[in-house]
Amino acid sequence: MTTLTAKDKQTVKAFWAKVSGKSEDIGADAVARMLVVYPQTKIYFSHWPDQSPNSPAARKHGITVMMGVGDAVTKIDDLKEGLKELSQLHAFTLRVDPGNFKILSHNILVVMAVMFPTDFTPEVHVSLDKFLAAVSLALSEKYR
Amino acid sequence: MPENSVSADLQTGSDKMVEWTDFERDTIKDIFSMIEYDVVGPAALTRCLVVYPWTQRYFGGFGNLYNAAAIKGNPMVSKHGTTIMHGLDRAVKNLDDIENTYTELSVLHSEKLHVDPDNFKLLADCLTIVVAAQLGKKFTGEVQAAFQKFLAVVVSSLGRQYH
């Protein structure tokens, strides 16, 4: 399900080149949506004084996440190796249930549709969906 | 089951009514009044057939689904996409009784069409993406939550008569 073809990699890189300028806004909106649409995800942020979706902490977190996604694009040929440290972080320190990677991925896709309706074609959608699934899998590598 | 499909799982027993807030009711009705069924339906079904190609198994009689361009231009896909939207319209008009509204449709999808109910979630996700693209900034997090809740109820109701 998550083997990226050459075409997938090419599509992801090309789309990322178009949208990465807005990566901060994309990340902030994706995290905000996640907190609103899937309120159970707020449990991971109980240490934030302000857990509202548009708080500075939420925006900052969205920026952090998208920096990780952008980094993953550069490591697209070996995500397991490339995301090794991030996987250790998520596995041993953050202990985010991997089901939540799907949720955040979905919200990233929704934001792409909102912000780039003409560029986010079905062909781009399928490659990006596969890519985010592969990133999620690489992030889960070290869990057990 | 593809990794990113996240339409919420909703267990609605027949003794549990779905409760809608005024915001949710208004939002759902507004969305459906703002979108063109014969644009959004075909776009959502096309996207589903491209993003989750195994769903093409149900459309063997539709002719050329060979690639994204063929699917997009296929008149039977278009027509069926519009049909789906009119089906959803019935749920919008019967928000307090979606389960009973969809009894026959559920039986149809189970007994005659043999559609894996997991696939309803895939189409729901694609519909969310297409509506998001149509509405742009109007598709706020709160609007998204209401829309996804509606789709979760629809998906659950369509799966009710499977045995």
Side-chain angles (χ1 to χ4, degrees):
Chain A
M1 266 282 226
T2 48
T3 308
L4 299 172
T5 63
K7 180 154 183 271
D8 286 324
K9 294 182 190 179
Q10 191 185 9
T11 302
V12 168
K13 286 188 201 172
F15 184 69
W16 185 251
K18 269 190 214 175
V19 310
S20 57
K22 295 263 186 214
S23 93
E24 294 195 351
D25 290 336
I26 295 168
D29 195 7
V31 166
R33 281 173 195 278
M34 182 184 75
L35 296 170
V36 170
V37 183
Y38 304 89
Q40 70 273 19
T41 57
K42 288 192 290 193
I43 63 116
Y44 291 103
F45 308 106
S46 52
H47 56 284
W48 289 348
D50 181 0
Q51 282 182 48
S52 64
N54 298 304
S55 67
R59 183 175 174 85
K60 181 160 174 272
H61 192 63
I63 293 171
T64 303
V65 165
M66 283 324 272
M67 274 176 51
V69 171
D71 186 47
V73 175
T74 67
K75 296 170 173 168
I76 202 167
D77 290 315
D78 192 353
L79 289 170
K80 188 171 134 180
E81 181 60 32
L83 300 183
K84 210 167 50 175
E85 275 107 25
L86 269 178
S87 182
Q88 271 160 354
L89 175 73
H90 284 76
F92 301 119
T93 311
L94 304 176
R95 286 181 287 204
V96 175
D97 189 297
N100 294 291
F101 300 148
K102 277 193 246 178
I103 290 176
L104 186 52
S105 297
H106 169 73
N107 285 296
I108 291 172
L109 296 176
V110 170
V111 171
M112 295 303 187
V114 167
M115 289 177 66
F116 308 100
T118 16
D119 291 305
F120 192 58
T121 61
E123 294 92 319
V124 168
H125 179 164
V126 61
S127 295
L128 193 60
D129 190 35
K130 287 176 74 177
F131 170 68
L132 291 174
V135 168
S136 301
L137 194 66
L139 280 179
S140 313
E141 253 316 293
K142 301 289 179 196
Y143 271 59
R144 56 178 177 174
Chain B
M1 184 57 182
E3 291 86 339
N4 292 343
S5 177
V6 287
S7 298
D9 276 302
L10 202 74
Q11 267 97 50
T12 45
S14 51
D15 52 354
K16 255 192 329 186
M17 272 272 290
V18 180
E19 310 236 347
W20 303 100
T21 63
D22 288 342
F23 173 80
E24 286 166 348
R25 281 179 200 279
D26 292 342
T27 298
I28 292 159
K29 287 182 200 292
D30 281 345
I31 291 173
F32 278 81
S33 71
M34 280 193 271
I35 58 180
E36 291 169 65
Y37 288 13
D38 58 4
V39 169
V40 166
L45 183 57
T46 294
R47 198 165 279 258
C48 189
L49 295 170
V50 170
V51 177
Y52 310 108
W54 54 94
T55 57
Q56 292 170 29
R57 76 188 306 284
Y58 305 112
F59 301 99
F62 274 33
N64 185 2
L65 299 177
Y66 188 60
N67 55 33
I71 294 169
K72 189 167 174 213
N74 185 311
M76 291 182 80
V77 170
S78 260
K79 181 158 176 273
H80 194 65
T82 308
T83 300
I84 289 170
M85 294 310 290
H86 287 289
L88 288 175
D89 188 76
R90 287 173 56 199
V92 175
K93 295 191 157 71
N94 291 283
L95 280 179
D96 291 311
D97 199 13
I98 294 177
E99 212 172 274
N100 286 324
T101 304
Y102 276 176
T103 304
E104 278 167 39
L105 268 177
S106 181
V107 170
L108 174 75
H109 282 75
S110 159
E111 304 296 308
K112 184 154 179 266
L113 304 175
H114 307 296
V115 177
D116 183 336
D118 276 355
N119 292 172
F120 302 143
K121 294 181 204 179
L122 304 184
L123 182 57
D125 281 349
C126 287
L127 191 56
T128 300
I129 299 273
V130 168
V131 167
Q134 287 278 302
L135 299 185
K137 295 273 187 222
K138 285 194 221 135
F139 198 68
T140 62
E142 288 80 3
V143 169
Q144 181 184 342
F147 190 62
Q148 289 195 201
K149 178 175 167 177
F150 168 73
L151 289 178
V153 175
V154 163
V155 163
S156 166
S157 302
L158 273 178
R160 283 281 298 166
Q161 305 302 327
Y162 278 67
H163 304 291

